[in-house]
Amino acid sequence: MDLWFLALPTMHKNVEAFSSTVAIDHSYLIHQACPLLNEEELAKAMRYRQPLARMHAIYIRAFLRVTLSRYARILPHEWCFEYGEQGKPNLCKTQRQQTGLVFNLSHSGDQVLLAVTQTADQEIELGVDIECEREELSISTIMENYFQPQEIKSLMQLELSDQRRRFFDLWVLKESYIKATGLGLAQSLKSFGFDFSLSNKQLLSLFDEKPASEQSLEIVTGIVVNTLEGCVGEGSAGEDTCFDYSEQAGGQVWSIFLGRLSASYRFGLMVKGRKLDVSSIYARRVSLVSVLND
């Protein structure tokens, strides 16, 4: 399993300075990126009103296409995609059978995460999400609407300083899960939950291609996903009762990882149908310039 991290340009506090920077530093890169996209991708990017959002959309699609070409003798502009009922992108059937590649992509703020794996004889489902922790976000209402009671109970047992971090941990895992299943928000976020009671922390090496360097990321393993089955009643004290959790979501094999890219960014990785450990994950960080000049 390969994880690819890419940092995108961010908005300058001075809009005029940013516009000038884009014109000087990014015109060449945009010129390199646009021919890699198909007409539909370019049209979608152009629908964004903000220049930064349009630029990000172009860079992200180019990043996906260039990275996939590292795995197969297919040129970046030749990749073809199809989409599930809820919009999950996959390679078209012909290229999927030809290459064995499965991927999933996530973007938050100025960070992009792409997961890619190659499998010849195994059908797997893959989902990733990267999220920036936002201090201004009110988490109480979100928890009530989207978290299982047991998740909320476990979160509230933590020290106050750790509760907000656990909220974003759970959120990035939930997003990764619905991306892996391909159901998106058509699947209730309350229909599954995560148990950290057996979790442990390990280190994942992150390699920078240019300049060549290495750092260690904290990654949490041993997380269990449970689906809620049967009734959910309320006792006289307002506590939920009648829980029946199925082990690892109906007996399916799930590999679940929660990582921290920085103090602000965390990411989730979900793989259904394959047992993975940290040693089987290879994480790399690439620059926009290296991607578009590859």
Side-chain angles (χ1 to χ4, degrees), residues 68-139:
L68 289 176
S69 290
R70 293 188 180 218
Y71 296 88
R73 293 183 179 179
I74 298 176
L75 295 175
H77 70 274
E78 294 176 337
W79 291 103
C80 298
F81 304 99
E82 57 187 24
Y83 298 85
E85 291 184 5
Q86 300 301 323
K88 182 179 181 179
N90 296 287
L91 289 178
C92 67
K93 185 177 180 180
T94 300
Q95 290 183 343
R96 171 70 177 88
Q97 292 175 342
Q98 177 184 349
T99 65
L101 290 175
V102 180
F103 74 90
N104 200 240
L105 182 72
S106 179
H107 164 229
S108 176
D110 63 346
Q111 295 295 325
V112 184
L113 169 59
L114 170 63
V116 182
T117 190
Q118 206 157 17
T119 174
D121 57 355
Q122 228 177 351
E123 286 296 325
I124 68 167
E125 299 293 343
L126 172 62
V128 293
D129 188 57
I130 188 166
E131 294 286 344
C132 180
E133 185 170 327
R134 290 160 287 169
E135 289 297 329
E136 73 280 4
L137 186 68
S138 176
I139 66 175

Side-chain angles (χ1 to χ4, degrees), residues 2 5 14 33 49 95 97 124 143 150 158 164 174 181 195 246 255 294:
D2 293 340
F5 294 90
N14 183 319
R49 293 185 177 181
Q95 290 183 343
Q97 292 175 342
I124 68 167
M143 287 194 299
Q150 190 60 39
L158 298 173
R164 193 172 190 84
K174 285 178 177 285
T181 62
D195 182 358
S246 61
S255 295
D294 199 350

